[in-house]
Amino acid sequence: MKYTLAEEDYLKAIYKIAERQGVPVSTSAIADLMQTRPASVTDMLKKLAEKELIDYKRYHGVSLTKTGARWATQLIRKHRLWECFLVDKLGFNWDEVHEIAEQLEHIQSETLIDRLDDYLENPKFDPHGDPIPDASGAYRMRYQILLSDLGIGQRAILVGVREHGSTFLQYLDQNGLALGVDLEILEILPYDGSLRLRLAANDPILISGQVARQLYVRQIPTTG
Amino acid sequence: MKYTLAEEDYLKAIYKIAERQGVPVSTSAIADLMQTRPASVTDMLKKLAEKELIDYKRYHGVSLTKTGARWATQLIRKHRLWECFLVDKLGFNWDEVHEIAEQLEHIQSETLIDRLDDYLENPKFDPHGDPIPDASGAYRMRYQILLSDLGIGQRAILVGVREHGSTFLQYLDQNGLALGVDLEILEILPYDGSLRLRLAANDPILISGQVARQLYVRQIPTTG
DNA sequence: GTCGTACTTTAGCCCTGTCTAAAATTGTCC
DNA sequence: GGACAATTTTAGACAGGGCTAAAGTACGAC
């Protein structure tokens, strides 16, 4: 099967929203994410339903069918593998790859993506810490604990980011917040929920609660 | 500047035809190469002329403007670099890469292609022996001598192919005709112009005149 | 249960790129 | 120089995807 660029973009959007907010996915949520108008979304939903990629009831939102979910997962696999390629092989920074991968994910060729996967040595996570589905669509769930869920004195390793905007990622770079860093919460300011963190041997840094809610971590048991 | 997929395909087609048959390029030649109808071509030519990518006079064919030629060259650069990537890094055979590269050449990102070029160590020729333009659009002309231009007893190295179809390339593979092989013309059959070739230490092979006219070679001066 | 607001869909239009059928142009052959 | 065949262009239509404006639906507040 082959789908158009627009159809693929819609499938991915529906998948992403369903993943975060659950089903059913509303027309306006899709319009919002895709920077388009609800009326346009409705038009496309009818086409996707026609092709049995989504289940759609007028006025009641949509959910992906098995086929639709499968295709969306493949798109995500492609997107994330290309991001790995751009960062690991071509030396891009993690804040520069999203838009290029948005284009590359539409390239049609099963073989291509399987060979790319092998070439990259079958990575399990992309440069933002998002899990990469395998050829069958299965993937290992990432730790879903946010830095904002932890308390004072707890230690953790940064394993992923929820927000992918380049300004946000550059901000993390400038503060030494890269995937894999080991951090400890020194203090949580009562006024606005900002966090003071210790990163390795550096001076402590201060981040807002809003930033903390964008960071996935794996907790390290505090020894002793 | 940004152009649509269709516009880019037309530019490339015009460039290719101009390269082989010279200017002006006729509407039907374009329709032919692109597997579309002359009427559709006319429509698009008006749009390209509007954008000053081509010079177009009704009923008298077209030629690329400086801007149009520049853009076409960049597309060819992208196409050929991606072919190198697919063959050299991902292990594709030279008969499998054309269609994938057709898609990849439309990816929009200057940086991407420059980094890819560096990653591949700035190749000068693609897997079919076609020259790769540099970032400024300049490229080194390949030897334009065809195997069919040589006479009995002459030696040469295979440096390129004119035809890119996969059946043709597979035929070459099966007969040991890879780029870089050293060959000698043992005999030219008077009846139909077929050639008997010696390849390295192997048994001689017989190829048709039609095949010989698709093979670019660099002649080796016959010593003694 | 009715009302009002927010959300969703429909209707009708636009643009891109394609097509077929018909009209126009070119250029060649006599 | 005229007629005809081949080529090219125009006219009008259609499918994909998007928009605005207007109409329809859902559902919480009362």
Side-chain angles (χ1 to χ4, degrees), chain B residues 3 9 20 29 35 40 47-48 60 62-63 94 106 122-123 127 129 138 142 186 191-192 199 215:
Chain B
Y3 303 106
D9 285 339
R20 274 166 184 62
Q35 316 244 63
S40 312
K47 292 171 196 164
L48 294 176
H60 292 88
V62 298
S63 60
W94 66 341
H106 296 292
N122 315 106
R142 189 215 358 237
L186 298 177
Y191 174 61
D192 63 352
L199 299 181
L215 303 177

PDB file of all heavy atoms in Angstrom, chain B residues 3 9 20 29 35 40 47-48 60 62-63 94 106 122-123 127 129 138 142 186 191-192 199 215:
ATOM      1  N   TYR B   3      10.936  25.071  -4.634  1.00  0.00           N
ATOM      2  CA  TYR B   3      10.094  24.691  -5.758  1.00  0.00           C
ATOM      3  C   TYR B   3       9.362  23.405  -5.421  1.00  0.00           C
ATOM      4  O   TYR B   3       9.800  22.642  -4.556  1.00  0.00           O
ATOM      5  CB  TYR B   3      10.941  24.548  -7.021  1.00  0.00           C
ATOM      6  CG  TYR B   3      11.687  25.812  -7.345  1.00  0.00           C
ATOM      7  CD1 TYR B   3      13.057  25.916  -7.124  1.00  0.00           C
ATOM      8  CD2 TYR B   3      11.014  26.922  -7.839  1.00  0.00           C
ATOM      9  CE1 TYR B   3      13.735  27.097  -7.388  1.00  0.00           C
ATOM     10  CE2 TYR B   3      11.675  28.103  -8.101  1.00  0.00           C
ATOM     11  CZ  TYR B   3      13.039  28.187  -7.873  1.00  0.00           C
ATOM     12  OH  TYR B   3      13.702  29.356  -8.134  1.00  0.00           O
ATOM     13  N   ASP B   9      11.024  18.087 -10.933  1.00  0.00           N
ATOM     14  CA  ASP B   9      11.117  16.992 -11.892  1.00  0.00           C
ATOM     15  C   ASP B   9      11.207  17.518 -13.328  1.00  0.00           C
ATOM     16  O   ASP B   9      11.972  17.001 -14.142  1.00  0.00           O
ATOM     17  CB  ASP B   9       9.915  16.054 -11.746  1.00  0.00           C
ATOM     18  CG  ASP B   9      10.026  15.172 -10.499  1.00  0.00           C
ATOM     19  OD1 ASP B   9      11.161  14.993 -10.007  1.00  0.00           O
ATOM     20  OD2 ASP B   9       8.995  14.674 -10.027  1.00  0.00           O
ATOM     21  N   ARG B  20      21.663  15.965 -23.800  1.00  0.00           N
ATOM     22  CA  ARG B  20      21.829  14.961 -24.850  1.00  0.00           C
ATOM     23  C   ARG B  20      21.497  15.485 -26.245  1.00  0.00           C
ATOM     24  O   ARG B  20      22.279  15.357 -27.174  1.00  0.00           O
ATOM     25  CB  ARG B  20      20.944  13.737 -24.560  1.00  0.00           C
ATOM     26  CG  ARG B  20      21.612  12.732 -23.649  1.00  0.00           C
ATOM     27  CD  ARG B  20      20.637  11.714 -23.113  1.00  0.00           C
ATOM     28  NE  ARG B  20      21.293  10.822 -22.170  1.00  0.00           N
ATOM     29  CZ  ARG B  20      21.859  11.202 -21.027  1.00  0.00           C
ATOM     30  NH1 ARG B  20      21.867  12.472 -20.689  1.00  0.00           N
ATOM     31  NH2 ARG B  20      22.414  10.315 -20.222  1.00  0.00           N
ATOM     32  N   ALA B  29       9.313  15.964 -26.265  1.00  0.00           N
ATOM     33  CA  ALA B  29      10.458  15.251 -25.703  1.00  0.00           C
ATOM     34  C   ALA B  29      10.313  15.172 -24.179  1.00  0.00           C
ATOM     35  O   ALA B  29      10.586  14.139 -23.568  1.00  0.00           O
ATOM     36  CB  ALA B  29      11.759  15.958 -26.073  1.00  0.00           C
ATOM     37  N   GLN B  35       6.751  10.603 -19.031  1.00  0.00           N
ATOM     38  CA  GLN B  35       5.574   9.749 -19.089  1.00  0.00           C
ATOM     39  C   GLN B  35       4.318  10.537 -18.767  1.00  0.00           C
ATOM     40  O   GLN B  35       3.549  10.167 -17.880  1.00  0.00           O
ATOM     41  CB  GLN B  35       5.690   8.595 -18.100  1.00  0.00           C
ATOM     42  CG  GLN B  35       7.046   7.951 -18.113  1.00  0.00           C
ATOM     43  CD  GLN B  35       6.991   6.527 -18.564  1.00  0.00           C
ATOM     44  OE1 GLN B  35       6.609   6.240 -19.716  1.00  0.00           O
ATOM     45  NE2 GLN B  35       7.334   5.626 -17.688  1.00  0.00           N
ATOM     46  N   SER B  40      -0.077  18.627 -20.567  1.00  0.00           N
ATOM     47  CA  SER B  40       0.334  18.869 -19.183  1.00  0.00           C
ATOM     48  C   SER B  40       1.675  19.584 -19.156  1.00  0.00           C
ATOM     49  O   SER B  40       1.918  20.461 -18.322  1.00  0.00           O
ATOM     50  CB  SER B  40       0.457  17.542 -18.431  1.00  0.00           C
ATOM     51  OG  SER B  40      -0.683  16.749 -18.646  1.00  0.00           O
ATOM     52  N   LYS B  47       4.274  27.877 -16.169  1.00  0.00           N
ATOM     53  CA  LYS B  47       4.568  28.214 -14.772  1.00  0.00           C
ATOM     54  C   LYS B  47       6.068  28.415 -14.553  1.00  0.00           C
ATOM     55  O   LYS B  47       6.487  29.328 -13.850  1.00  0.00           O
ATOM     56  CB  LYS B  47       4.047  27.106 -13.844  1.00  0.00           C
ATOM     57  CG  LYS B  47       2.529  27.030 -13.824  1.00  0.00           C
ATOM     58  CD  LYS B  47       2.047  25.789 -13.065  1.00  0.00           C
ATOM     59  CE  LYS B  47       0.588  25.505 -13.386  1.00  0.00           C
ATOM     60  NZ  LYS B  47       0.187  24.143 -12.984  1.00  0.00           N
ATOM     61  N   LEU B  48       6.846  27.537 -15.178  1.00  0.00           N
ATOM     62  CA  LEU B  48       8.299  27.642 -15.003  1.00  0.00           C
ATOM     63  C   LEU B  48       8.821  28.929 -15.647  1.00  0.00           C
ATOM     64  O   LEU B  48       9.738  29.573 -15.119  1.00  0.00           O
ATOM     65  CB  LEU B  48       8.999  26.421 -15.611  1.00  0.00           C
ATOM     66  CG  LEU B  48       8.720  25.087 -14.927  1.00  0.00           C
ATOM     67  CD1 LEU B  48       9.395  23.944 -15.681  1.00  0.00           C
ATOM     68  CD2 LEU B  48       9.201  25.095 -13.484  1.00  0.00           C
ATOM     69  N   HIS B  60       8.005  26.836 -29.820  1.00  0.00           N
ATOM     70  CA  HIS B  60       9.426  26.772 -30.169  1.00  0.00           C
ATOM     71  C   HIS B  60      10.321  26.191 -29.093  1.00  0.00           C
ATOM     72  O   HIS B  60      11.522  26.431 -29.088  1.00  0.00           O
ATOM     73  CB  HIS B  60       9.924  28.163 -30.571  1.00  0.00           C
ATOM     74  CG  HIS B  60       9.335  28.630 -31.860  1.00  0.00           C
ATOM     75  ND1 HIS B  60       8.134  29.305 -31.917  1.00  0.00           N
ATOM     76  CD2 HIS B  60       9.739  28.473 -33.142  1.00  0.00           C
ATOM     77  CE1 HIS B  60       7.848  29.571 -33.182  1.00  0.00           C
ATOM     78  NE2 HIS B  60       8.799  29.076 -33.954  1.00  0.00           N
ATOM     79  N   VAL B  62      11.884  25.032 -25.222  1.00  0.00           N
ATOM     80  CA  VAL B  62      12.412  25.772 -24.079  1.00  0.00           C
ATOM     81  C   VAL B  62      13.896  25.526 -23.869  1.00  0.00           C
ATOM     82  O   VAL B  62      14.467  24.562 -24.383  1.00  0.00           O
ATOM     83  CB  VAL B  62      11.704  25.345 -22.769  1.00  0.00           C
ATOM     84  CG1 VAL B  62      10.219  25.655 -22.832  1.00  0.00           C
ATOM     85  CG2 VAL B  62      11.952  23.882 -22.477  1.00  0.00           C
ATOM     86  N   SER B  63      14.508  26.422 -23.107  1.00  0.00           N
ATOM     87  CA  SER B  63      15.857  26.185 -22.591  1.00  0.00           C
ATOM     88  C   SER B  63      15.891  26.734 -21.164  1.00  0.00           C
ATOM     89  O   SER B  63      15.080  27.585 -20.807  1.00  0.00           O
ATOM     90  CB  SER B  63      16.884  26.894 -23.459  1.00  0.00           C
ATOM     91  OG  SER B  63      16.630  28.278 -23.472  1.00  0.00           O
ATOM     92  N   TRP B  94      24.192  -1.249  -7.631  1.00  0.00           N
ATOM     93  CA  TRP B  94      24.000  -0.056  -8.464  1.00  0.00           C
ATOM     94  C   TRP B  94      22.716  -0.082  -9.287  1.00  0.00           C
ATOM     95  O   TRP B  94      22.300   0.956  -9.797  1.00  0.00           O
ATOM     96  CB  TRP B  94      25.220   0.205  -9.351  1.00  0.00           C
ATOM     97  CG  TRP B  94      25.483  -0.846 -10.409  1.00  0.00           C
ATOM     98  CD1 TRP B  94      25.006  -2.113 -10.436  1.00  0.00           C
ATOM     99  CD2 TRP B  94      26.288  -0.695 -11.566  1.00  0.00           C
ATOM    100  NE1 TRP B  94      25.475  -2.770 -11.535  1.00  0.00           N
ATOM    101  CE2 TRP B  94      26.266  -1.925 -12.244  1.00  0.00           C
ATOM    102  CE3 TRP B  94      27.044   0.344 -12.089  1.00  0.00           C
ATOM    103  CZ2 TRP B  94      26.965  -2.132 -13.432  1.00  0.00           C
ATOM    104  CZ3 TRP B  94      27.738   0.127 -13.277  1.00  0.00           C
ATOM    105  CH2 TRP B  94      27.695  -1.096 -13.930  1.00  0.00           C
ATOM    106  N   HIS B 106      14.771  15.246  -3.532  1.00  0.00           N
ATOM    107  CA  HIS B 106      13.875  16.376  -3.279  1.00  0.00           C
ATOM    108  C   HIS B 106      13.933  16.874  -1.832  1.00  0.00           C
ATOM    109  O   HIS B 106      13.257  17.836  -1.490  1.00  0.00           O
ATOM    110  CB  HIS B 106      12.438  15.998  -3.631  1.00  0.00           C
ATOM    111  CG  HIS B 106      12.243  15.693  -5.091  1.00  0.00           C
ATOM    112  ND1 HIS B 106      12.336  16.668  -6.056  1.00  0.00           N
ATOM    113  CD2 HIS B 106      12.005  14.545  -5.740  1.00  0.00           C
ATOM    114  CE1 HIS B 106      12.131  16.106  -7.254  1.00  0.00           C
ATOM    115  NE2 HIS B 106      11.938  14.809  -7.086  1.00  0.00           N
ATOM    116  N   ASN B 122      33.609  13.487  -0.305  1.00  0.00           N
ATOM    117  CA  ASN B 122      33.557  14.271  -1.538  1.00  0.00           C
ATOM    118  C   ASN B 122      33.819  13.487  -2.806  1.00  0.00           C
ATOM    119  O   ASN B 122      34.760  13.775  -3.547  1.00  0.00           O
ATOM    120  CB  ASN B 122      34.540  15.442  -1.431  1.00  0.00           C
ATOM    121  CG  ASN B 122      34.429  16.137  -0.089  1.00  0.00           C
ATOM    122  OD1 ASN B 122      35.293  15.983   0.770  1.00  0.00           O
ATOM    123  ND2 ASN B 122      33.355  16.861   0.132  1.00  0.00           N
ATOM    124  N   PRO B 123      32.972  12.504  -3.067  1.00  0.00           N
ATOM    125  CA  PRO B 123      33.162  11.694  -4.266  1.00  0.00           C
ATOM    126  C   PRO B 123      32.997  12.544  -5.526  1.00  0.00           C
ATOM    127  O   PRO B 123      32.220  13.503  -5.530  1.00  0.00           O
ATOM    128  CB  PRO B 123      32.046  10.651  -4.170  1.00  0.00           C
ATOM    129  CG  PRO B 123      30.994  11.297  -3.334  1.00  0.00           C
ATOM    130  CD  PRO B 123      31.727  12.154  -2.350  1.00  0.00           C
ATOM    131  N   PRO B 127      27.855   5.906  -8.485  1.00  0.00           N
ATOM    132  CA  PRO B 127      28.082   4.480  -8.770  1.00  0.00           C
ATOM    133  C   PRO B 127      27.948   4.094 -10.248  1.00  0.00           C
ATOM    134  O   PRO B 127      28.378   3.004 -10.634  1.00  0.00           O
ATOM    135  CB  PRO B 127      26.986   3.785  -7.943  1.00  0.00           C
ATOM    136  CG  PRO B 127      26.652   4.740  -6.861  1.00  0.00           C
ATOM    137  CD  PRO B 127      26.806   6.087  -7.464  1.00  0.00           C
ATOM    138  N   GLY B 129      29.235   6.077 -12.561  1.00  0.00           N
ATOM    139  CA  GLY B 129      30.312   6.791 -13.241  1.00  0.00           C
ATOM    140  C   GLY B 129      29.927   8.194 -13.674  1.00  0.00           C
ATOM    141  O   GLY B 129      30.707   8.871 -14.344  1.00  0.00           O
ATOM    142  N   ALA B 138      29.838  23.128 -10.213  1.00  0.00           N
ATOM    143  CA  ALA B 138      30.883  22.740 -11.172  1.00  0.00           C
ATOM    144  C   ALA B 138      31.174  21.245 -11.078  1.00  0.00           C
ATOM    145  O   ALA B 138      31.098  20.671  -9.997  1.00  0.00           O
ATOM    146  CB  ALA B 138      32.161  23.517 -10.895  1.00  0.00           C
ATOM    147  N   ARG B 142      33.186  13.727 -17.601  1.00  0.00           N
ATOM    148  CA  ARG B 142      33.670  12.363 -17.710  1.00  0.00           C
ATOM    149  C   ARG B 142      34.161  12.107 -19.135  1.00  0.00           C
ATOM    150  O   ARG B 142      33.748  12.811 -20.064  1.00  0.00           O
ATOM    151  CB  ARG B 142      32.532  11.407 -17.381  1.00  0.00           C
ATOM    152  CG  ARG B 142      32.962   9.974 -17.253  1.00  0.00           C
ATOM    153  CD  ARG B 142      31.931   8.991 -17.744  1.00  0.00           C
ATOM    154  NE  ARG B 142      30.709   9.591 -18.203  1.00  0.00           N
ATOM    155  CZ  ARG B 142      29.526   9.290 -17.713  1.00  0.00           C
ATOM    156  NH1 ARG B 142      29.430   8.414 -16.743  1.00  0.00           N
ATOM    157  NH2 ARG B 142      28.449   9.850 -18.205  1.00  0.00           N
ATOM    158  N   LEU B 186      38.810  -7.803 -28.723  1.00  0.00           N
ATOM    159  CA  LEU B 186      39.492  -8.864 -29.465  1.00  0.00           C
ATOM    160  C   LEU B 186      39.004  -8.924 -30.903  1.00  0.00           C
ATOM    161  O   LEU B 186      39.755  -9.227 -31.815  1.00  0.00           O
ATOM    162  CB  LEU B 186      39.213 -10.222 -28.795  1.00  0.00           C
ATOM    163  CG  LEU B 186      39.721 -10.379 -27.360  1.00  0.00           C
ATOM    164  CD1 LEU B 186      39.305 -11.732 -26.797  1.00  0.00           C
ATOM    165  CD2 LEU B 186      41.241 -10.213 -27.312  1.00  0.00           C
ATOM    166  N   TYR B 191      29.074  -8.847 -39.208  1.00  0.00           N
ATOM    167  CA  TYR B 191      27.660  -8.985 -39.513  1.00  0.00           C
ATOM    168  C   TYR B 191      26.778  -7.984 -38.772  1.00  0.00           C
ATOM    169  O   TYR B 191      26.017  -7.230 -39.363  1.00  0.00           O
ATOM    170  CB  TYR B 191      27.197 -10.414 -39.213  1.00  0.00           C
ATOM    171  CG  TYR B 191      25.707 -10.584 -39.360  1.00  0.00           C
ATOM    172  CD1 TYR B 191      25.087 -10.361 -40.607  1.00  0.00           C
ATOM    173  CD2 TYR B 191      24.915 -10.926 -38.281  1.00  0.00           C
ATOM    174  CE1 TYR B 191      23.723 -10.493 -40.733  1.00  0.00           C
ATOM    175  CE2 TYR B 191      23.543 -11.060 -38.412  1.00  0.00           C
ATOM    176  CZ  TYR B 191      22.952 -10.847 -39.647  1.00  0.00           C
ATOM    177  OH  TYR B 191      21.606 -10.976 -39.777  1.00  0.00           O
ATOM    178  N   ASP B 192      26.912  -7.961 -37.408  1.00  0.00           N
ATOM    179  CA  ASP B 192      26.015  -7.099 -36.634  1.00  0.00           C
ATOM    180  C   ASP B 192      26.744  -6.150 -35.683  1.00  0.00           C
ATOM    181  O   ASP B 192      26.128  -5.476 -34.876  1.00  0.00           O
ATOM    182  CB  ASP B 192      25.042  -7.953 -35.814  1.00  0.00           C
ATOM    183  CG  ASP B 192      25.785  -8.799 -34.789  1.00  0.00           C
ATOM    184  OD1 ASP B 192      27.033  -8.828 -34.837  1.00  0.00           O
ATOM    185  OD2 ASP B 192      25.130  -9.422 -33.936  1.00  0.00           O
ATOM    186  N   LEU B 199      38.281  -9.686 -20.630  1.00  0.00           N
ATOM    187  CA  LEU B 199      38.222  -9.003 -19.342  1.00  0.00           C
ATOM    188  C   LEU B 199      39.203  -9.677 -18.415  1.00  0.00           C
ATOM    189  O   LEU B 199      39.039 -10.844 -18.071  1.00  0.00           O
ATOM    190  CB  LEU B 199      36.845  -9.148 -18.698  1.00  0.00           C
ATOM    191  CG  LEU B 199      35.624  -8.599 -19.425  1.00  0.00           C
ATOM    192  CD1 LEU B 199      34.377  -8.837 -18.581  1.00  0.00           C
ATOM    193  CD2 LEU B 199      35.786  -7.124 -19.707  1.00  0.00           C
ATOM    194  N   LEU B 215      28.318   2.101 -23.071  1.00  0.00           N
ATOM    195  CA  LEU B 215      29.437   2.030 -22.120  1.00  0.00           C
ATOM    196  C   LEU B 215      30.498   3.092 -22.396  1.00  0.00           C
ATOM    197  O   LEU B 215      31.074   3.142 -23.482  1.00  0.00           O
ATOM    198  CB  LEU B 215      30.069   0.640 -22.180  1.00  0.00           C
ATOM    199  CG  LEU B 215      29.118  -0.535 -21.907  1.00  0.00           C
ATOM    200  CD1 LEU B 215      29.852  -1.860 -22.068  1.00  0.00           C
ATOM    201  CD2 LEU B 215      28.497  -0.424 -20.526  1.00  0.00           C
TER     202      LEU B 215
END
